[in-house]
Amino acid sequence: MSLYNLLSQKKSDILERWREVLFDGYAPETARFLKSQKDRFANPIAYQLTRGLSGIIEVFLQGAETDKVMAQLDEVIKLKAIQEAPPSQAMAFIFILKTIIREELAQELQDPACAAEFVDLESRLDGLALLGFDVYMQRREKLCDVKVGEIKRKVSTLLRRLGLGDDYLEEQSGG
Amino acid sequence: MAKLPTPAELIQVNYKPPAQGWMDLKTELRPGYYVNAAAPKWMNMIDYPFPRAWSVADEDWKLPEDWKERVLQGIQDRLERFRSLKVFFDICVRCGACADKCHFFLGTGDPKNMPVLRAELMRSVYRRYFKTAGKLLGELAGARDLTEDVIKEWFYYLHQCTICRRCSVFCPYGIDMAEMTLLGRELLASVGLNIDWALASVAQCYDKGSHIGATPQAFKDMIDFMAEENERITGISTPVSINRKGAEILFVVPSGDYFADPGSFNFMGYLLLLKYLDLDYTMSTYAAEGGNFGWFISHEMGKRLNAKMYEEAKRLKVKWILGGECGHMWRVCNQYMPTWWGPIDFLEEPVSPITGTKFENATVHKMVHISEFTADLFRHGKLKVDPQRNAHIKLTYHDSCNTARGMGIFEEPRYIINQVLPEGHFFEMPPNTIREKTFCCGSSSGINANENMDIRMLGGLPRANAVKYVAEKYGVNHLGCICALDRATLPTLMQYWVPQMEVTGITEMVGNALVFDDELERTTDLRDRDLVGFGEAAEEEEAE
């Protein structure tokens, strides 16, 4: 059986371990809360992380196209990019997946016949991480965009009053 | 050379505390999480103490020499003045009911944003200097010394509370974290620690009349422009009389409604509604601000800014005051204003001139919220509307904290919504996220600055999470609210978490739907967007 198929069978275990590590990254009382509160509206961090992590596992194992992978990465990174200060912390979660997969496949990796496929698997995980940095930058840029958007809304009525129209600022900034 | 960290080590850096207790952990003041220090010029304009140039990122905050004595004396004064503060300090049994109810905790995961712990930041100092056990036993009794680090921690976390009072809904004793936050901010202000965004708004309001610093001329100019816009779109002229003595009603709105989108469209809705009724009302260039950022920094400053409203009502000899869609404005007017100014004997109990309804709930403060006023009009069948003009809107409603938890305005906006939207276009968010349990926008109470956008987005996550749910499940495309701060900040929150979600006031939709006898045929809404069945969409359908 291929390593990807094997991992597909272990999907729920991988998700559970991945979530656990991420939740334990918070303060102990927060981690307890994140693990115990099941209502998605009363526990938005856990909901958002679970939604993203399960999506990432899914698209990774399917070998989905880049845009779909990035969309799933975004579910987690839009939270991490503002919750954790430096990118090395915000992006560490992807490398955690690498560790978990190694441990889940510990037995199979004893077999040299799996080596080539494992190298491919690890390279794809590296690719996942690199795409993650793209998403991280997009999210930080998005944060700048929303700031600019708020400033524009503050003066948009005034611009209309001056007969300059809603797209005046875009034209001025070349956007 | 230090060893490189592994991902597992990196991921645990966030809020994972070392073995010591919370008191020993020095708070890291993270950029993106705090609002900048107030510029001295704003403080000078309102005679606030210790104006100076300082930065939150600096080690030295240039506190006055006797800062500690001032803060402790400030606590003493407030314990004598506010019985509530003493009760809230003493009564908490740390049951934890509030712990997971704050939107800032739910968004950041930072335990110091659990209301119980945020209160403990101040309570621990109270114990150390005002309780025998704390004086004798110190840390064993949950007490700690007041140090510069403690003051910095207060500054950081007391501006990560939006005074929304969700935690107090769940507290078995009803401890009001909002009141503690407000008093804590007063203590900070007493040693010259203020945030720029709030102070700028306060100073401009004090100096010119509104938070945005608009002059009376600019105020009138913008209102005239809104009236022209209404005429262009609907054919209905909606002129406003300014500073007119003897009008029956003084109409006061938050400045966000006549200067910033999407509040401006709501303002157009107000004018259409008031024109439809041919109401005898006036607006004032002196009481040109319904909001009150002063209340976010101290009771005294709240009172100073609020003074204009009654003074102007008295000068213009109106009978009562009608107010626009605003959140904290209502908390101030409904719950503080009569206490500040005593019996309001120069105004009458508000009575709707259209329906004859007496607004008994406003007997004391003589001020009616436009949602109460409009819901009453619909109840008496006084408004002819065409809900199909809002057919492009699929709406969910965000209960604004101050009107919902502060005043119990739950039904009126929903009643209006159901009158002006086609059937099946209104969808509620889950029960634990609305009404008295509503989640805050995450940007209220004077912290809607730009430099703290990270924390604003995190504080708004619980609200956005519920909006996303109805967007995905029902195709909701508009988020309604009756608060100007919501209209200013929710579009930003939505842009980050739920793109394509528009934010709208409720009266804007009333303005869309109102049918006048002599109006132009409506082809667009008040935002110039094509109505369903008109414009490009309809042309495409015809071509097919």
Side-chain angles (χ1 to χ4, degrees):
Chain A
M1 187 186 284
S2 84
L3 294 180
Y4 285 97
N5 286 343
L6 203 61
L7 288 173
S8 291
Q9 288 175 4
K10 297 178 175 211
K11 257 188 324 200
S12 56
D13 289 345
I14 294 171
L15 174 64
E16 205 40 54
R17 289 186 60 190
W18 204 7
R19 267 166 41 106
E20 193 86 358
V21 176
L22 260 65
F23 290 169
D24 283 338
Y26 293 86
E29 49 272 65
T30 306
R32 271 197 301 279
F33 164 73
L34 293 176
K35 290 175 192 175
S36 61
Q37 175 55 265
K38 304 299 178 200
D39 183 313
R40 63 182 272 191
F41 303 108
N43 192 354
I45 294 178
Y47 170 72
Q48 191 62 36
L49 289 179
T50 306
R51 174 181 167 127
L53 298 181
S54 60
I56 293 169
I57 295 172
E58 205 62 52
V59 291
F60 178 73
L61 293 177
Q62 282 170 3
E65 288 163 12
T66 306
D67 56 341
K68 286 186 181 154
V69 175
M70 289 178 82
Q72 292 307 321
L73 283 166
D74 185 53
E75 293 289 340
V76 176
I77 293 171
K78 63 183 163 193
L79 181 66
K80 290 281 176 189
I82 50 177
Q83 220 177 39
E84 321 228 4
S88 58
Q89 282 175 33
M91 303 305 295
F93 79 97
I94 301 180
F95 297 92
I96 297 292
L97 177 62
K98 215 168 174 177
T99 312
I100 293 171
I101 286 180
R102 274 184 207 147
E103 287 169 6
E104 286 290 331
L105 295 178
Q107 210 182 330
E108 287 72 18
L109 291 180
Q110 305 292 325
D111 180 0
C114 292
E117 197 184 0
F118 185 68
V119 168
D120 174 72
L121 181 74
E122 290 242 308
S123 292
R124 285 177 193 279
L125 281 168
D126 292 339
L128 189 70
L130 290 169
L131 287 178
F133 280 98
D134 289 350
V135 176
Y136 178 88
M137 280 311 298
Q138 285 172 6
R139 272 292 153 186
R140 292 306 302 181
E141 282 166 13
K142 178 84 176 175
L143 202 67
C144 293
D145 286 347
V146 303
K147 288 182 193 178
V148 174
E150 193 166 275
I151 294 166
K152 282 182 181 173
R153 276 192 301 281
K154 278 183 194 135
V155 295
S156 54
T157 317
L158 199 58
L159 290 175
R160 280 206 306 280
R161 167 71 190 93
L162 297 170
L164 295 173
D166 284 342
D167 44 8
Y168 173 74
L169 286 175
E170 274 77 13
E171 286 165 7
Q172 291 303 299
S173 60
Chain B
M1 194 183 191
K3 223 174 102 183
L4 282 175
T6 65
E9 285 164 350
L10 277 169
I11 208 165
Q12 300 213 346
V13 176
N14 193 12
Y15 297 115
K16 187 93 170 179
Q20 71 261 42
W22 67 267
M23 281 189 201
D24 304 317
L25 280 174
K26 188 175 173 182
T27 294
E28 180 201 351
L29 308 175
R30 294 173 57 170
Y33 280 46
Y34 55 77
V35 187
N36 290 340
K41 68 173 177 177
W42 306 127
M43 294 169 71
N44 286 325
M45 280 167 73
I46 54 171
D47 299 324
Y48 250 44
F50 307 111
R52 63 192 182 279
W54 66 285
S55 165
V56 181
D58 291 344
E59 189 58 32
D60 180 9
W61 282 13
K62 301 177 186 168
L63 290 167
E65 259 178 38
D66 59 347
W67 70 268
K68 195 166 163 181
E69 289 73 30
R70 283 178 182 275
V71 171
L72 292 176
Q73 186 58 49
I75 296 175
Q76 175 70 48
D77 294 346
R78 282 162 184 78
L79 286 170
E80 288 165 16
R81 213 176 128 203
F82 299 91
R83 190 173 167 76
S84 53
L85 183 66
K86 186 164 170 42
V87 172
F88 295 157
F89 272 157
D90 286 333
I91 205 171
C92 176
V93 291
R94 293 185 272 310
C95 69
C98 64
D100 56 357
K101 305 304 186 296
C102 171
H103 49 289
F104 282 111
F105 171 69
L106 294 177
T108 60
D110 181 351
K112 286 186 183 171
N113 270 323
M114 292 176 170
V116 57
L117 193 41
R118 196 188 293 119
E120 204 70 7
L121 303 179
M122 290 165 66
R123 196 178 276 127
S124 53
V125 172
Y126 162 73
R127 286 199 200 98
R128 168 68 183 78
Y129 297 94
F130 298 91
K131 302 295 280 186
T132 309
K135 285 177 190 171
L136 294 174
L137 300 172
E139 203 169 324
L140 279 176
R144 64 171 175 172
D145 289 340
L146 179 60
T147 63
E148 284 197 28
D149 283 343
V150 168
I151 280 289
K152 288 179 178 179
E153 196 176 43
W154 285 10
F155 180 87
Y156 191 65
Y157 286 107
L158 293 180
H159 293 105
Q160 287 181 36
C161 165
T162 41
I163 317 182
C164 82
R165 294 165 81 230
R166 187 170 196 264
C167 51
S168 43
V169 168
F170 296 89
C171 173
Y173 291 110
I175 293 175
D176 189 347
M177 183 69 223
E179 187 144 338
M180 298 176 82
T181 296
L182 287 170
L183 293 172
R185 289 185 184 180
E186 286 186 9
L187 294 171
L188 291 169
S190 73
V191 291
L193 300 177
N194 302 282
I195 57 170
D196 195 64
W197 185 257
L199 263 281
S201 302
V202 168
Q204 297 196 99
C205 189
Y206 191 65
D207 187 51
K208 292 204 176 72
S210 63
H211 293 151
I212 51 172
T215 59
Q217 293 84 350
F219 170 79
K220 182 179 185 312
D221 190 56
M222 287 308 284
I223 288 174
D224 289 347
F225 173 60
M226 304 289 183
E228 286 166 21
E229 284 288 274
N230 268 338
E231 190 162 5
R232 176 178 66 79
I233 294 169
T234 68
I236 302 297
S237 170
T238 58
V240 181
S241 68
I242 307 281
N243 299 336
R244 179 166 58 89
K245 283 189 180 173
E248 183 178 359
I249 295 164
L250 172 64
F251 184 45
V252 179
V253 301
S255 57
D257 277 355
Y258 56 82
F259 252 90
D261 291 340
S264 48
F265 306 114
N266 208 46
F267 191 87
M268 289 164 69
Y270 298 150
L271 297 192
L272 284 167
L273 174 68
L274 301 182
K275 169 70 182 180
Y276 185 96
L277 303 171
D278 208 12
L279 208 68
D280 179 18
Y281 78 101
T282 188
M283 294 188 76
S284 157
T285 52
Y286 184 61
E289 179 60 76
N292 191 331
F293 272 42
W295 179 64
F296 295 147
I297 60 172
S298 75
H299 288 88
E300 282 66 33
M301 203 62 229
K303 184 176 177 178
R304 277 163 85 184
L305 294 191
N306 174 260
K308 291 189 277 192
M309 230 179 267
Y310 278 152
E311 282 301 320
E312 197 61 342
K314 192 188 276 182
R315 187 181 75 87
L316 297 174
K317 295 187 170 57
V318 301
K319 290 183 181 168
W320 54 277
I321 306 171
L322 178 66
E325 293 181 17
C326 185
H328 73 280
M329 161 182 174
W330 286 95
R331 181 93 175 279
V332 171
C333 295
N334 190 263
Q335 295 176 0
Y336 287 76
M337 195 158 71
T339 311
W340 282 336
W341 306 111
I344 313 304
D345 50 9
F346 53 89
L347 293 176
E348 295 176 13
E349 181 182 55
V351 176
S352 170
I354 313 299
T355 66
T357 298
K358 280 186 184 176
F359 291 96
E360 290 166 0
N361 58 320
T363 301
V364 178
H365 62 294
K366 313 285 198 290
M367 189 158 180
V368 177
H369 190 288
I370 197 155
S371 292
E372 298 170 324
F373 184 69
T374 310
D376 174 64
L377 292 167
F378 275 119
R379 184 85 179 89
H380 287 86
K382 298 294 182 187
L383 300 176
K384 186 180 173 192
V385 287
D386 177 3
Q388 280 307 314
R389 293 179 184 172
N390 285 315
H392 53 306
I393 295 174
K394 281 194 171 178
L395 188 90
T396 193
Y397 177 67
H398 162 71
D399 287 275
S400 308
C401 304
N402 283 304
T403 44
R405 271 191 286 274
M407 287 177 72
I409 298 189
F410 301 121
E411 302 306 333
E412 291 88 342
R414 289 176 168 82
Y415 188 74
I416 299 167
I417 287 165
N418 282 315
Q419 302 290 326
V420 299
L421 280 184
E423 211 177 321
H425 279 236
F426 176 50
F427 304 89
E428 290 276 21
M429 285 181 274
N432 55 344
T433 73
I434 55 170
R435 296 180 180 262
E436 72 275 16
K437 293 177 185 164
T438 186
F439 277 120
C440 178
C441 61
S443 299
S444 184
S445 83
I447 66 160
N448 53 319
N450 265 200
E451 62 270 20
N452 60 334
M453 197 57 85
D454 298 55
I455 192 73
R456 284 179 53 191
M457 295 300 101
L458 289 171
L461 170 62
R463 170 41 76 225
N465 182 40
V467 174
K468 186 163 186 159
Y469 171 76
V470 286
E472 288 178 345
K473 187 163 184 181
Y474 304 114
V476 164
N477 57 13
H478 281 69
L479 175 59
C481 58
I482 53 169
C483 168
L485 273 171
D486 283 335
R487 284 190 289 280
T489 66
L490 284 175
T492 312
L493 186 73
M494 291 300 114
Q495 252 187 301
Y496 191 83
W497 293 109
V498 197
Q500 315 306 324
M501 183 65 59
E502 298 279 350
V503 175
T504 178
I506 303 306
T507 312
E508 177 186 340
M509 296 189 298
V510 174
N512 283 340
L514 268 182
V515 178
F516 291 78
D517 289 337
D518 48 352
E519 67 184 3
L520 293 173
E521 185 190 18
R522 303 263 192 117
T523 56
T524 68
D525 67 4
L526 297 180
R527 301 187 189 195
D528 277 329
R529 298 178 301 189
D530 288 336
L531 299 183
V532 171
F534 289 94
E536 286 174 19
E539 282 165 23
E540 277 170 25
E541 271 173 32
E542 269 178 34
E544 280 171 22

